[in-house]
Amino acid sequence: MENGGMKKIEETPTNVTIKGILGLLMASLDDGEKRKRVIALGMGDPTAFSCFTTTSVAENAVVDALTSQKFNGYLPLLAFLKPEGCTQAIEVAISFLAKPNANILVPRPGFPIYNLCAAFRNVEIRHFDLLPENGWEVDLNAVDALADENTVAIVVINPGNPCGNVYSYQHLKKIAETAKKHKIVVIADEVYGHLVFGPNPFVPMGVFGSMVPVLTLGSLSKRWIVPGWRLGWFVTTDPNGIFKNAKTVERLKKYFDICGGPATFIQAAVPRILKETSDAFFARTLGILKHTSDLCVKKIDEIPCLTCPTKPQGSMAVMVKLNVSLLKDISDDIDFCFKLAREESVILLPGVTVGLKNWVRITFAAEPSSLEEALERVKIFCHSHSYEPKGSSL
């Protein structure tokens, strides 16, 4: 059953969610008394580690809104607020763009929720590759080859999940020019917006709104370290009125009318959170992420079967290439991650889940000591499964 389950996952990755595969990995852990402490680096939830905490401004804003007793009833649903963070925004974006024979261009590797939402709406997903040797930039030639008269949108995830890339202004402009050429909308997934610590600054895709219509998906979840609050925003940037002429905004409002609104007291707290959060809070978070990303790359460099083609510049995760030819009894990334979980109690995300076989995603938003210990266990695991060097004796 176990091998059959792994085979099914490998063959149908578009039907497997990140939470689903991580749940299977957790269930596969050795439950014996000698099991090591579990270190999970598969889910992008920094709150699992004590070094990542939200600002007191956010906590106090929510508490004050709740105890004021002014927000216990219904509030009008604001079109840019959603109860499920960006996951619901993705569903709404795909739903209102859907039409017969429509297709959407999505990055590979990418966020699998796009595939799942599109499947529910009978929208075809066409994958364009991100280029690891070029900082995970979009393969614009592939986009040109994939787009046709039925293409309605292209998805751009920046800062990158799962790759940790941050696109330059020049590259984003080229993407906008390509979208304009094909007369398609840009869905800008900016859940990790402003979480950058490399040479490229964060550039919102909306700055190109005069060139091409942009739907921006944002969230409190990552930047404010509150993924459990499930609240974000959906912004249209369209100074030329393309959306308005097509009555798109009205359609959006109708979709959000169908959806349940966020908890009213959290809605009420948002303006204060956005206005009063100090730069020092954000700087502290970025300092930790910069340190842990550097530590992650350093430890990966010590493991022969793992390669990090591009040092992360933002977000909270990095894609690492797995060379299974160096391992004697590991067949692929799924096999690698399940055996690693059972033997070393370390959870990593198989790359096939996000579209790349024989890669793994490592979340570095973790306590530095836990991250270092986890990657040391990965190193031990890889060594124990490596072929014996020629000339060695048992």
Side-chain angles (χ1 to χ4, degrees):
M1 181 181 297
E2 178 182 285
N3 290 337
M6 291 185 201
K7 184 177 181 181
K8 185 176 181 180
I9 292 169
E10 179 183 335
E11 290 178 347
T12 58
T14 57
N15 295 327
V16 178
T17 64
I18 291 176
K19 288 184 179 179
I21 188 65
L22 292 177
L24 292 174
L25 286 165
M26 290 296 293
S28 74
L29 291 169
D30 182 1
D31 57 1
E33 294 181 0
K34 295 183 178 180
R35 188 183 80 181
K36 300 175 182 177
R37 175 177 71 98
V38 178
I39 305 178
L41 303 179
M43 179 68 77
D45 183 359
T47 65
F49 300 93
S50 61
C51 63
F52 289 98
T53 57
T54 192
T55 171
S56 59
V57 169
E59 295 173 336
N60 293 337
V62 171
V63 170
D64 290 348
L66 178 62
T67 57
S68 71
Q69 297 193 19
K70 296 179 180 179
F71 306 103
N72 293 330
Y74 295 119
L75 283 181
L77 179 64
L78 300 179
F80 59 90
L81 295 177
K82 307 93 52 201
E84 294 299 332
C86 276
T87 298
Q88 187 181 14
I90 292 168
E91 182 181 1
V92 170
I94 292 176
S95 296
F96 90 83
L97 289 170
K99 63 181 183 179
N101 302 315
N103 67 75
I104 292 178
L105 309 182
V106 174
R108 179 175 53 208
F111 192 44
I113 290 296
Y114 287 96
N115 300 51
L116 295 171
C117 291
F120 280 117
R121 299 296 177 184
N122 294 317
V123 173
E124 179 189 357
I125 288 290
R126 296 183 179 181
H127 292 100
F128 58 87
D129 288 332
L130 303 182
L131 305 173
E133 66 276 12
N134 292 339
W136 297 104
E137 288 187 343
V138 173
D139 184 344
L140 295 173
N141 291 329
V143 172
D144 284 334
L146 290 168
D148 61 19
E149 68 278 5
N150 293 316
T151 303
V152 295
I154 179 172
V155 174
V156 178
I157 304 176
N158 181 54
N161 176 26
C163 302
N165 55 286
V166 177
Y167 291 143
S168 67
Y169 178 94
Q170 292 76 14
H171 186 61
L172 291 172
K173 183 179 179 182
K174 290 179 181 178
I175 294 173
E177 290 170 342
T178 301
K180 179 182 179 180
K181 177 173 62 176
H182 294 289
K183 300 179 180 180
I184 58 179
V185 174
V186 175
I187 299 175
D189 187 329
E190 297 177 357
V191 173
Y192 288 92
H194 300 282
L195 285 177
V196 300
F197 40 81
N200 288 341
F202 169 63
V203 178
M205 195 72 202
V207 303
F208 303 102
S210 61
M211 184 185 304
V212 63
V214 179
L215 301 178
T216 299
L217 319 181
S219 176
L220 288 181
S221 297
K222 308 300 183 180
R223 195 180 183 204
W224 274 268
I225 321 294
V226 287
W229 290 13
R230 312 303 288 161
L231 188 141
W233 45 85
F234 188 113
V235 179
T236 63
T237 308
D238 181 33
N240 294 328
I242 296 174
F243 285 150
K244 185 177 181 180
N245 293 339
K247 298 184 178 180
T248 303
V249 174
E250 287 75 12
R251 292 181 65 191
L252 278 174
K253 289 180 178 179
K254 289 180 180 179
Y255 274 113
F256 282 116
D257 283 342
I258 297 172
C259 306
T264 53
F265 61 90
I266 294 183
Q267 287 191 61
V270 169
R272 179 176 164 190
I273 293 171
L274 296 178
K275 181 179 179 180
E276 297 184 11
T277 301
S278 68
D279 290 340
F281 166 74
F282 297 128
R284 178 182 179 277
T285 301
L286 292 179
I288 298 172
L289 289 173
K290 176 66 166 64
H291 173 63
T292 55
S293 68
D294 288 344
L295 176 61
C296 185
V297 171
K298 178 183 176 182
K299 296 298 293 184
I300 290 169
D301 284 344
E302 298 174 0
I303 305 173
C305 65
L306 296 179
T307 305
C308 182
T310 302
K311 188 175 181 179
Q313 296 186 30
S315 76
M316 297 180 176
V318 63
M319 288 295 287
V320 177
K321 188 169 180 59
L322 172 66
N323 187 349
V324 294
S325 69
L326 298 179
L327 303 173
K328 59 187 176 184
D329 52 1
I330 302 293
S331 59
D332 55 29
D333 55 315
I334 291 282
D335 193 27
F336 178 88
C337 289
F338 271 91
K339 287 179 178 175
L340 176 66
R342 284 196 297 270
E343 296 179 26
E344 296 293 339
S345 298
V346 173
I347 306 295
L348 304 181
L349 185 71
V352 71
T353 313
V354 293
L356 282 189
K357 183 178 179 179
N358 290 337
W359 290 70
V360 293
R361 188 188 77 170
I362 300 176
T363 299
F364 52 78
E367 201 83 45
S369 59
S370 295
L371 179 63
E372 187 167 19
E373 179 184 346
L375 293 174
E376 187 62 29
R377 291 190 207 170
V378 174
K379 181 180 177 180
I380 292 170
F381 171 83
C382 291
H383 179 75
S384 67
H385 288 270
S386 296
Y387 288 103
E388 291 288 337
K390 292 182 178 180
S392 65
S393 58
L394 297 176

